[in-house]
Amino acid sequence: MRETGAGPRVLLRRLREMMAEAMEPQERLDRIVREIAQNMVAEVCSLYILRADSVLELYATEGLNPNAVHLAQLRLGQGLVGSIAASARPLNLSDAQKHPAFAYLPETGEEAYHSFLGVPVLRAGRTLGVLVVQNRTQRHYREDEEEALETVAMVIAEMIATGDLARLTRPGIELDLSRSVNLKGLPFNDGVGLGHVVLHEPRIVVTNLFNEDSDQELERLDEALSSLRLSIDDMLSRRDVAFEGEHRAVLEAYRMFANDRGWVRRLEEAVRNGLTAEAAVEKVQSDMRARMLHMTDPYLRERMSDFDDLANRLLRQLMGRGADALAEVMPKDAIVVARSMGAAELLDYPRERLRGLVLEDGAPTSHIVIVARAIGLPTVGQVKGAVSMSENGDAIIVDGEDGQVHLRPQGDIETAYAEKVRFRARRQKLYHELRAKPAQTKDGVPVELLMNAGLAVDLPQLADSGAAGIGLFRTELQFMVALTFPRVEAQERLYREVLVAADGKPVTFRTIDIGGDKVLPYFKGAQHEENPALGWRAIRLTLDRPGLLRTQIRALLKAAGGRELKLMLPMVTEVDEIRQARAIIDREVRHLSRFAHHLPTSLKLGAMIEVPALLWQLEELMQAVDFVSVGSNDLFQFVTATDRGNTRIAERFDPLGVPFLRLLRQIAQAGQAVHTPVTLCGELAGRPISAMALLGIGYRSISMAPASIGPVKAMLCELPLEALMERMEDALANHGAKTDIRAELTAFAREHDIPL
Ligand code: PEP
Ligand code: MG
């Protein structure tokens, strides 16, 4: 490596000196480009910066016409410079004018130059500008020269990010870095959140860019890499990941990457060029992120993001702990932005400061989303690029109603949303006031409005929402957020906590409903299934693994000592499954009474109606149980052969259509005939219009997300039920197979001033 006169080290040293000197930003840029040109023996060096209006503006040049500075402009994607910015990839050409993308800007006088090397100015994967060197002769720039220019570009990216260049922009023009961006994702949990970005993996700010001694720095890098590898080996040998599974596969991939020669070589190269080890990691990570943003293949994206995680770990190693003292910088209105995160990690944030959640990944049924929903956090998922585009502290709006994220929103958007939030707050206040009112229709028919729950964090909602009890406690959630199977004591503790919080209100515990889309990473028995929704899940799984069911039943029986215990079995297909489950329950009861345990005062056993086969055994079913609960999510999915997680067909068939409503009515009538209580606990119960339909066909007990109780009760209080029942009877009569029930319901609501 050349050490005197030229070479990247010398260049970086000169840059450092220039950045330390007090001077006007334009002068600093002019000197930087001059220095680069000299150092790289190029006749031209130019810097283009990306503006918020997607124009690349020439900010400084050595060699081109100086009058073109701040005048020469290229659109993103236009010309060589525009292509580099758009693709975030360098271009190295010995005859630039022959390149199909070449665009001639007469004001610059660049026609005289043939060879061209341009690199994107990147920060955290985002393109902020383009740095170019050019030569008159046709030459090919070496790989190390390209690396050197990229290193310099990184230093310039920091200058842009620290706002150094803001003074050079003309009034009314903004740099891309501060551009407002609207990102579209999928609505995962309703609500609107206004606040400021908190990056879940805080971008570690590398302040020390230049190394004093490359050899010493290489040693530091090497040490950090070694301890990184050791820590991965260590994690791999831990007991809880020692078996095969998803965790292990991820860690194995990390181990492979940590030893990846290409990655390590690029890190070392950047250090040799004069960067500190941490700045080198940041540089290589930024290149990776840029590539990731342009990558559509999900497998490759996944691999790239493993590298990204690894780079973060390495940065922490190098900068020591404390580099991300989260709690201190946590704003009062935090909106957490993450690629993905574990459910437990979300609960580590102080709830009172959280206003929303934005995920690049995630599915509506992923654990993190279930928890976010449980704590009522507006959530948008599948927002590609959210992490790269955000900086800690940026203003941000999350609209969980329509899946929008507005980053650094403009004034008018902010005003519109502030109004939306006020409107929603007024509505909430209204619902709150309704809590004290009895849940009965306008014509005096009482209706039981219950809530769904699954974690201890849900419990305060019982009082807040005014629910009459818990109609569905999804016990599997405790299993899903845990790292290993919850022990019997932990299960008992949670169930007792629930019953204490319910304070005499009824609670229906559903035995664990795992399998299907609810996977437990630590559960060894599960195998890959072609059709998991139709597979080994819920009661099928627990009857095959009776130990699991027994443990849970024991925990429930103990927790409910001295109170009523209501138990419900998910995904029942044959009445005989109830008999088998009852045998296990009876055995546990006998066992506990033998040891003189305090038993529940009464035990009621129910079944969920989710599998269509039960519809032809309704009579026997109603006699075999104390109550039934319709799981409309699964029942609808199986009746209409429509995968409930598939967004493409989510709206295709209407649960408020004639066939499904007739079927639901049949269930309600079967219950009435033999006096077996019937309730419904799928998502259908939570929307005022569908709740209204359910009441109209005979349901008097429904269970929903706590946030839905208010809107449903507002509907209920204005509902003349008898009139509705007549109307529904007519609409569902034989001649009505094509009737648009939704339209009928909307018209009925309008006629009677019912808020939907
Ligand atoms: C249902 O299927 O409607 C139901 C309530 O159960 P889950 O949504 O937990 O599958
Ligand atoms: Mg279900």
Side-chain angles (χ1 to χ4, degrees), residues 593-713:
S593 48
R594 204 173 314 133
F595 291 95
H597 272 286
H598 199 35
L599 285 170
T601 48
S602 75
L603 197 157
K604 295 218 166 86
L605 182 64
M608 288 195 73
I609 303 186
E610 295 174 290
V611 180
L614 278 188
L615 300 172
W616 291 274
Q617 312 166 65
L618 278 179
E619 248 183 78
E620 297 89 329
L621 172 73
M622 296 289 180
Q623 257 135 31
V625 293
D626 300 306
F627 64 95
V628 297
S629 184
V630 179
S632 57
N633 304 338
D634 275 316
L635 186 59
F636 185 70
Q637 116 162 314
F638 297 132
V639 163
T640 56
T642 308
D643 178 351
R644 64 191 264 191
N646 186 334
T647 45
R648 187 161 183 175
I649 45 171
E651 307 279 316
R652 198 174 182 102
F653 305 110
D654 192 353
L656 296 190
V658 172
F660 198 57
L661 286 180
R662 278 184 184 160
L663 177 158
L664 293 177
R665 183 177 60 177
Q666 188 192 340
I667 299 172
Q669 287 170 347
Q672 280 153 17
V674 290
H675 305 289
T676 300
V678 176
T679 174
L680 183 144
C681 61
E683 301 307 307
L684 206 56
R687 280 180 284 273
I689 186 166
S690 42
M692 187 167 109
L694 293 172
L695 298 173
I697 55 172
Y699 285 78
R700 295 294 174 267
S701 168
I702 46 180
S703 191
M704 62 202 82
S708 297
I709 302 257
V712 168
K713 197 166 182 184

Side-chain angles (χ1 to χ4, degrees), residues 68-80:
V69 170
H70 295 299
L71 292 178
Q73 298 179 355
L74 284 154
R75 270 177 289 107
L76 196 62
Q78 185 196 7
L80 299 176

